[in-house]
Amino acid sequence: MSESSTDTRQENEGTAVEAGTLATQRFSESGKLHGMEVSQERVSALAGEVIQAINDVAVKHSVTYDEYNALKAWLIKVGTDGEWPLFLDVWLEHTIEDINSVDRPGAVGTIEGPYYVPNAPEMSTPATLEMREDESGTPLKFTGSFKDTAGEPIKDAVIEIWHADALGFYSQYAPELPKWLFRGVVLADQDGNFEINTMRPAPYQIPTDGACGQLIAAAGWHAWRPAHIHIKVHAPGYQLVTQQLYFPGDPHNEDDIASAVKPELMLAPTPRTDGGEGEEAVYDYVLAREGESR
C-alpha cells in the first residue's frame, strides 16, 4: 500500500478507542467464558509464573522508577482505550493457537484476531459477499472442498468469512461502511464443495493512535499486517478451524506484526479461467472429527 493510501486510511478509520471499545464489547458478549472453571492450583501456577517473569525482566534490565511509572501509565491506557483484545490477539494469540492445535490433524489454523463479528448473513454456495456498487480492488473467486481425514466428503460444512476492503478497512470497525461488507456465512453443497465471490483485500496497519500504537512507536516496530482473508470452517461433529489465508508476494508475510503467517495458509491466485474478471484461488479443507487427534 502506498503512503498516500495509508494516509487516507488513517484519516477515515475512526479512532483506536472506538475500535478497541467495540472489540472489548464483542468479546464480553461472545460467551467464550461461559461455564469456564479454573482451579486455584492452575491460576496460581500461571499467574505466579507470569508475575515472576515480569520481575525477572525488571531485574535483568535494571528497570528504573521512571520506566516503571511509564509502564503503569501505558497499562492503564490499554484498558481505557479498550485495546486488550488487540494487544493479546496481536502478540499472544499465535502462541495459544499453536499450543491448542498441535495434535489436531487436517487443516492448519491461525489466530482469529479482534475483528470477528458473529451472525453474518447466511448464504448458500455459490455465494457473493456484500460489496458496494463501485467496490475497488481485484475480484476474487474462492473455491474449495471439505473432506474428513479419511478422504470422504463432508456434508453440512460451513464457512464463516470476513476480510478488509481494498484500503484495509473492516466493516463495523470503521465508519461509513456497509454493516456486512465482506462478511458472510456460506453453506457448502452436499458434496462438500463451495464457491465464494469477493474482492482481494489489502494489507493494513493495526490501529496506531492508541496504546498499542504507542508501544509500536516507542519500540521502533512497524504496525503492518499482510493482506489476508479470515476463515472459520466447521461442520456438525467436526472440530472448528480458524484461519487467515494469505497472498504470495506481500512484503509483510515475513514480518507480520501478529506473527500469524504460516506456509500452509498461503493461497496461489491465478487469472480466472471462466471468463470472469480478476483471480481465482482454491483451498481444500480436511477437518478432524471431534475428539480425533494425531
Side-chain angles (χ1 to χ4, degrees):
M1 182 180 293
S2 68
E3 183 177 349
S4 60
S5 297
T6 302
D7 293 343
T8 299
R9 178 183 185 277
Q10 290 175 340
E11 288 170 2
N12 291 304
E13 70 180 350
T15 69
V17 173
E18 291 169 347
T21 299
L22 280 170
T24 297
Q25 177 184 337
R26 288 196 169 116
F27 176 78
S28 298
E29 296 170 351
S30 68
K32 290 182 178 179
L33 297 179
H34 179 70
M36 180 180 179
E37 294 184 6
V38 183
S39 69
Q40 286 185 330
E41 291 78 12
R42 179 72 169 172
V43 173
S44 179
L46 295 177
E49 289 192 29
V50 168
I51 291 169
Q52 186 60 54
I54 294 171
N55 280 272
D56 291 345
V57 168
V59 171
K60 179 179 178 180
H61 294 281
S62 300
V63 171
T64 68
Y65 253 106
D66 284 343
E67 291 168 333
Y68 169 74
N69 288 329
L71 172 63
K72 186 186 295 187
W74 180 78
L75 290 172
I76 292 169
K77 183 173 174 58
V78 175
T80 56
D81 287 354
E83 287 204 317
W84 279 117
L86 179 64
F87 175 82
L88 293 169
D89 291 349
V90 167
W91 284 294
L92 179 60
E93 188 184 1
H94 66 279
T95 298
I96 304 301
E97 195 281 329
D98 284 345
I99 294 167
N100 284 270
S101 64
V102 65
D103 292 325
R104 184 185 65 213
V108 170
T110 191
I111 68 174
E112 177 180 297
Y115 300 135
Y116 170 68
V117 179
N119 303 316
E122 186 176 290
M123 56 196 84
S124 297
T125 190
T128 298
L129 301 186
E130 180 177 348
M131 58 188 84
R132 295 158 288 193
E133 289 186 8
D134 59 348
E135 199 67 58
S136 61
T138 301
L140 178 68
K141 184 174 80 169
F142 176 51
T143 63
S145 64
F146 286 93
K147 293 182 179 179
D148 62 20
T149 54
E152 296 299 319
I154 297 176
K155 295 182 178 181
D156 302 319
V158 176
I159 303 171
E160 296 184 70
I161 180 171
W162 70 103
H163 62 78
D165 68 5
L167 286 177
F169 294 108
Y170 282 88
S171 61
Q172 302 191 42
Y173 287 91
E176 301 180 2
L177 297 184
K179 181 177 181 181
W180 296 111
L181 180 73
F182 297 129
R183 295 181 183 271
V185 177
V186 179
L187 310 181
D189 65 24
Q190 288 304 293
D191 294 319
N193 299 311
F194 67 88
E195 175 185 319
I196 302 172
N197 293 283
T198 185
M199 304 289 282
R200 184 164 172 163
Y204 62 87
Q205 294 188 85
I206 66 171
T208 56
D209 59 327
C212 290
Q214 187 179 41
L215 172 63
I216 288 168
W221 302 337
H222 74 74
W224 285 96
R225 297 231 53 223
H228 56 277
I229 296 174
H230 295 264
I231 299 286
K232 282 178 178 282
V233 289
H234 49 94
Y238 291 84
Q239 297 179 48
L240 169 72
V241 177
T242 301
Q243 293 184 321
Q244 295 178 12
L245 298 177
Y246 302 92
F247 297 87
D250 192 295
H252 294 294
N253 283 337
E254 300 300 322
D255 63 358
D256 173 23
I257 184 64
S259 302
V261 180
K262 299 177 181 179
E264 299 92 340
L265 300 177
M266 200 65 59
L267 293 173
T270 58
R272 286 180 67 153
T273 58
D274 59 2
E277 294 183 5
E279 302 172 323
E280 59 186 19
V282 179
Y283 198 95
D284 295 319
Y285 288 94
V286 174
L287 299 186
R289 294 184 181 276
E290 292 178 358
E292 185 178 358
S293 61
R294 296 183 191 276

